[in-house]
Amino acid sequence: MIEEKKDIFNLKDLEVFAKKFALDLNHGSLVLLKGDLGSGKTTFIRFIINSLFEINKLKKPGKINSPSFPILLTYDLKNYEIYHYDFYRIQNISELNELDIFENFSNSISFIEWPEIILKNLSNINYYLIEMKIITDKTREMSLNFFSN
């Protein structure tokens, strides 16, 4: 594990950081996001997805929602897809088998909100773990760690 960054962000700073972070992502990247409801996980992912579309010179998606109810939303880029998961309602790891989640990691850029249920099953996978904490209405503390296995 390597601690990459820990900082306080307002919304504009978060967007700027997301654009820089998007440049480091590629086919096979896995990004896990932890934090309380309303801490900014989906907003951060929205900024990254829009940046990935800009990088690939594609029209941005009209709307990027939280996948709380469908559990998975996908976005098609030129050579791969973006998978955006929300495990808030997942009760056990066997529910993830229906999503082919482990197979999808190598074929996409994957984002997972509420990843606690899967963390113990990532022993052979490199991933980013982002933790977001609410500081004030307009600021968040974010720590970014990279786990290399």
Side-chain angles (χ1 to χ4, degrees):
M1 177 184 82
I2 302 168
E3 174 123 355
E4 293 286 325
K5 184 170 185 66
K6 186 173 190 173
D7 212 340
I8 306 289
F9 293 93
N10 63 31
L11 194 60
K12 185 62 183 162
D13 294 335
L14 189 64
E15 183 175 13
V16 169
F17 180 73
K19 287 181 179 192
K20 291 177 186 172
F21 184 63
L23 295 171
D24 291 335
L25 301 178
N26 52 47
H27 190 93
S29 292
L30 175 61
V31 182
L32 311 178
L33 293 103
K34 293 172 69 175
D36 292 332
L37 284 170
S39 62
K41 298 178 299 292
T42 301
T43 299
F44 185 61
I45 293 169
R46 184 178 301 120
F47 289 149
I48 295 171
I49 291 172
N50 280 327
S51 295
L52 290 168
F53 272 79
E54 285 178 10
I55 290 165
N56 285 282
K57 297 178 175 43
L58 296 170
K59 183 180 177 191
K60 294 178 192 176
K63 197 169 191 182
I64 299 172
N65 292 319
S66 170
S68 295
F69 292 101
I71 299 174
L72 169 64
L73 294 173
T74 62
Y75 303 91
D76 191 27
L77 290 174
K78 289 179 182 176
N79 299 316
Y80 55 91
E81 288 187 292
I82 298 170
Y83 288 84
H84 181 188
Y85 298 93
D86 186 320
F87 290 171
Y88 185 74
R89 297 183 304 119
I90 299 292
Q91 298 298 311
N92 61 63
I93 195 78
S94 64
E95 292 178 60
L96 299 177
N97 293 333
E98 297 173 24
L99 298 172
D100 293 325
I101 188 163
F102 295 103
E103 293 80 15
N104 291 342
F105 290 161
S106 62
N107 300 321
S108 66
I109 293 177
S110 298
F111 298 97
I112 301 175
E113 296 184 50
W114 305 99
E116 290 79 1
I117 197 162
I118 198 171
L119 282 171
K120 294 177 187 170
N121 296 289
L122 299 176
S123 59
N124 295 320
I125 299 172
N126 296 338
Y127 63 92
Y128 294 94
L129 177 62
I130 296 171
E131 296 187 58
M132 301 182 83
K133 294 179 184 173
I134 299 170
I135 303 300
T136 70
D137 299 6
K138 298 181 187 219
T139 58
R140 303 294 185 262
E141 179 182 83
M142 184 174 78
S143 63
L144 172 79
N145 297 283
F146 180 70
F147 291 81
S148 178
N149 296 300

